[in-house]
């Protein structure tokens, strides 16, 4: 069983990832931390609580950082709407509000599980960096992090930086230098994890609250992609989750990755060392570059049929 902590700026594709995680047999979500990114922290916090309620799950959600370490927050409203769920409104969770801060809650859970916890981080890495800063022994309890972020080649927030890393490049830099092994699902693989419009509509026809949310919340993203000449939209954040359930659908290579915290043109670039003579012990990441798209989308369909 994969016991995961989900750190999210939920977000339309984050919601797909979480709703899949809740249905996959070998994944147990043991806690969620909210991080500002796709939208402001209050919307992220409410979305994580409300999506969890929609899934009829009882998982605690903790509020994390409201802004990047040293930058201002620039939400991705063009894809995720003003509320982070493509402006779709879902019922409000009646669960009690967790007052503990996300950083303390994550550390305590990692310590309690004594090395078993896997962190899946699909937003800016601010909460993870702050946890590492506050608790230097966090890395003894959290041996692996699975992130959606970065790219071996290119970017979507700048020519060479992906949104999550670009949003808080200093935090990302600290996480990549922490010594924790990082599984990197960047644009190289997540751009392959595309669901076509026909597939989105098929899921949307299942007639349950989760499938309605997927269909309606992805409308802004699908329209944007149409403008770019692409049919459907990418389910970026579902990649690390589906990898944990089905690693056989993905291919990747061990390498070193470091983040440029600030550069004239390169702020937020994930500098990937695949081929130089770096020492093997510096190869502290695995960069994924391939996913079996059909198997991936079929799995998403199966998850949504269960709601
Ligand atoms: C990433 O940025 C956000 O818009 C998505 O939720 C995903 O985590 C893609 O670059
Ligand atoms: Ca995200």
């Amino acid at each position: 069983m994969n016991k995961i902590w989900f750190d999210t700026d939920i977000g339309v594709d984050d919601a797909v990832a979480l709703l899949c995680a809740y249905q996959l047999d070998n994944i147990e979500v043991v806690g969620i931390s909210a991080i500002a990114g796709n939208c402001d922290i209050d919307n992220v916090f409410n979305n994580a609580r409300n999506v969890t309620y929609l899934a009829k799950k009882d998982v605690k959600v903790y509020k994390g950082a409201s802004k990047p370490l040293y930058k201002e927050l620039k939400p991705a409203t063009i894809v995720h709407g003003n509320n982070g769920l493509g402006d779709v409104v879902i019922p409000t969770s009646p669960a009690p509000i967790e007052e503990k801060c996300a950083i303390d809650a994550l550390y305590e859970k990692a310590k309690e599980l004594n090395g078993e916890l896997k962190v899946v981080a699909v937003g800016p890495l601010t909460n993870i960096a702050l946890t590492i800063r506050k608790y230097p022994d966090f890395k003894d309890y959290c041996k692996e992090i699975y992130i959606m972020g970065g790219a071996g080649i290119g970017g979507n927030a700048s020519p060479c930086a992906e949104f999550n890393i670009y949003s808080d490049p200093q935090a990302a830099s600290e996480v990549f230098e922490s010594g924790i092994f990082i599984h990197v699902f960047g644009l190289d693989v997540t751009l392959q994890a595309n669901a076509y419009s026909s597939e989105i509509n098929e899921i949307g026809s299942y007639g349950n609250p989760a499938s309605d949310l997927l269909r309606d919340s992805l409308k802004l993203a699908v329209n944007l992609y149409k403008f770019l000449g692409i049919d459907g939209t990418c389910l970026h954040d579902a990649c690390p989750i589906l990898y944990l359930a089905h690693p056989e659908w993905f291919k990747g290579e061990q390498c070193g990755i470091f983040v440029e915290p600030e550069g004239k043109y390169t702020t937020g670039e994930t500098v990937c060392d695949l081929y130089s003579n770096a020492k093997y012990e510096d190869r502290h990441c695995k960069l994924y570059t391939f996913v079996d798209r059909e198997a991936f989308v079929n799995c998403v369909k199966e998850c949504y049929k269960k709601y």
Side-chain angles (χ1 to χ4, degrees):
M1 179 61 73
N2 292 294
K3 295 190 181 222
I4 71 153
W5 184 278
F6 194 63
D7 183 71
T8 177
D9 61 338
I10 191 165
V12 295
D13 57 324
D14 309 58
V16 175
L18 184 56
L19 287 164
C20 287
Y22 282 144
Q23 293 299 345
L24 288 161
D25 289 340
N26 55 357
I27 291 184
E28 183 191 352
V29 184
V30 299
I32 298 175
S33 45
I35 179 65
N38 289 324
C39 57
D40 65 275
I41 190 67
D42 290 332
N43 270 306
V44 172
F45 184 60
N46 290 335
N47 292 344
R49 287 167 48 80
N50 297 344
V51 168
T52 296
Y53 177 56
L54 180 141
K56 299 194 173 78
K57 298 287 174 182
D58 182 20
V59 176
K60 291 183 174 160
V61 179
Y62 302 89
K63 200 181 266 193
S66 60
K67 63 185 280 297
L69 294 179
Y70 304 122
K71 284 177 85 173
E72 288 311 309
L73 179 68
K74 287 226 176 85
T77 44
I78 191 171
V79 177
H80 303 275
N82 289 317
N83 77 348
L85 292 181
D87 294 330
V88 175
V89 176
I90 58 174
T92 302
S93 168
I97 301 281
E98 296 301 329
E99 300 292 350
K100 191 178 285 179
C101 95
I103 288 145
D104 295 339
L106 168 56
Y107 174 71
E108 283 167 21
K109 184 57 81 177
K111 201 166 177 184
E112 178 194 320
L113 293 182
N114 200 19
E116 220 194 314
L117 185 69
K118 293 178 175 171
V119 172
V120 177
V122 294
L125 291 167
T126 324
N127 284 343
I128 312 300
L130 288 171
T131 307
I132 293 166
R133 278 187 184 186
K134 183 168 180 186
Y135 299 106
D137 62 339
F138 176 65
K139 61 180 184 304
D140 300 333
Y141 301 113
C142 168
K143 301 230 161 55
E144 301 199 339
I145 302 178
Y146 298 75
I147 70 156
M148 187 288 132
I153 299 169
N156 60 358
S158 85
C160 59
E162 179 279 331
F163 175 84
N164 288 338
I165 305 293
Y166 188 77
S167 296
D168 196 343
Q170 179 62 37
S173 171
E174 292 179 22
V175 172
F176 275 88
E177 301 209 12
S178 68
I180 300 174
F181 194 92
I182 306 177
H183 296 262
V184 179
F185 298 84
L187 297 174
D188 319 276
V189 66
T190 66
L191 290 176
Q192 297 169 41
N194 194 51
Y196 297 131
S197 309
S198 58
E199 294 166 332
I200 292 169
N201 291 337
E202 183 189 328
I203 295 172
S205 72
Y206 295 161
N208 64 55
S211 65
D212 289 352
L213 174 63
L214 179 142
R215 181 197 59 221
D216 297 340
S217 66
L218 291 179
K219 275 186 183 147
L220 285 173
V222 169
N223 280 338
L224 180 71
Y225 275 65
K226 199 185 284 169
F227 179 70
L228 300 171
I230 299 167
D231 175 41
T233 190
C234 294
L235 305 177
H236 302 278
D237 291 349
C239 284
I241 293 292
L242 266 64
Y243 170 82
L244 285 167
H246 288 284
E248 71 277 11
W249 295 340
F250 293 80
K251 282 186 195 148
E253 205 167 327
Q254 201 160 334
C255 63
I257 300 182
F258 296 97
V259 175
E260 186 75 275
E262 196 172 352
K264 188 173 174 191
Y265 303 110
T266 54
T267 301
E269 179 172 1
T270 38
V271 179
C272 302
D273 181 7
L274 278 159
Y275 305 114
S276 87
N277 289 325
K279 297 192 298 292
Y280 192 75
E281 59 267 29
D282 289 340
R283 297 183 178 260
H284 63 297
C285 297
K286 192 163 178 188
L287 177 72
Y288 293 87
T289 52
F290 172 82
V291 60
D292 179 338
R293 195 204 75 87
E294 287 218 353
F296 175 93
V297 173
N298 285 337
C299 181
V300 174
K301 288 182 189 171
E302 291 310 312
C303 290
Y304 275 80
K305 275 181 195 158
K306 293 184 182 160
Y307 281 100

